[in-house]
Amino acid sequence: MAESVSTIGYGDKLEWSTDGGTTWTEVAELKTCDVPAHTVEKAERTHMSSPGRTKEYTPGLRDPQDVSFAFNFNSTDYAALYALETAGTVADWRHTLATEDGTATGAIYEYAGFVELAGGAREVEGVAEVTATIKRTGVATFTAAA
């Protein structure tokens, strides 16, 4: 049996850019981040002579799904993301997946989207965590790890 080449999320990076990708801002202390996903619509194309009295379908449009992420609260990132949300800014997002533990030089997803902050609980003891959602729009690109 071949040795596994799977990796854990340690070392992943999530960044955003508001200048077309010239400069990127990393979300500090990222804890979780979804891998982008799509659903594909199913368009019916059944007609009066469809074989075997069976409905026929063709793939429709792809629908980009939201990306949720969480990070340890820090004023700098929270303020920047809050400003993006308040302004309704559609930013460029880049999620780099680690190829080895702690080495974020792997596969890269890039997509556009606007952010929605969900906040997080603050406790007497414990680190405050903020959750947020990127509402994706348009086409995503995926570049495989080298």
Side-chain angles (χ1 to χ4, degrees):
M1 178 182 272
E3 184 178 329
S4 175
V5 294
S6 60
T7 62
I8 62 173
Y10 182 75
D12 280 16
K13 291 190 331 184
L14 179 65
E15 304 164 287
W16 78 86
S17 174
T18 57
D19 63 7
T22 301
T23 58
W24 293 90
T25 302
E26 183 176 352
V27 176
E29 298 189 36
L30 183 67
K31 296 194 67 162
T32 64
C33 187
D34 293 343
V35 172
H38 295 83
T39 58
V40 178
E41 299 297 325
K42 183 167 99 171
E44 186 175 344
R45 62 180 186 163
T46 306
H47 53 87
M48 297 288 192
S49 300
S50 287
R53 296 184 47 196
T54 303
K55 289 186 176 186
E56 297 179 88
Y57 297 93
T58 191
L61 298 177
R62 297 175 79 211
D63 186 3
Q65 301 300 293
D66 295 345
V67 170
S68 294
F69 66 97
F71 62 98
N72 288 337
F73 176 85
N74 68 79
S75 293
T76 301
D77 282 347
Y78 189 85
L81 292 168
Y82 185 82
L84 290 177
E85 178 188 57
T86 301
T89 302
V90 175
D92 294 316
W93 294 85
R94 178 169 66 188
H95 182 183
T96 304
L97 284 65
T99 55
E100 298 173 14
D101 292 352
T103 307
T105 57
I108 298 172
Y109 283 97
E110 291 185 274
Y111 49 87
F114 49 97
V115 70
E116 175 182 75
L117 291 170
R122 292 193 49 91
E123 302 174 17
V124 172
E125 290 188 37
V127 175
E129 185 177 295
V130 176
T131 58
T133 303
I134 302 165
K135 307 289 191 169
R136 293 177 48 218
T137 180
V139 176
T141 60
F142 174 76
T143 305

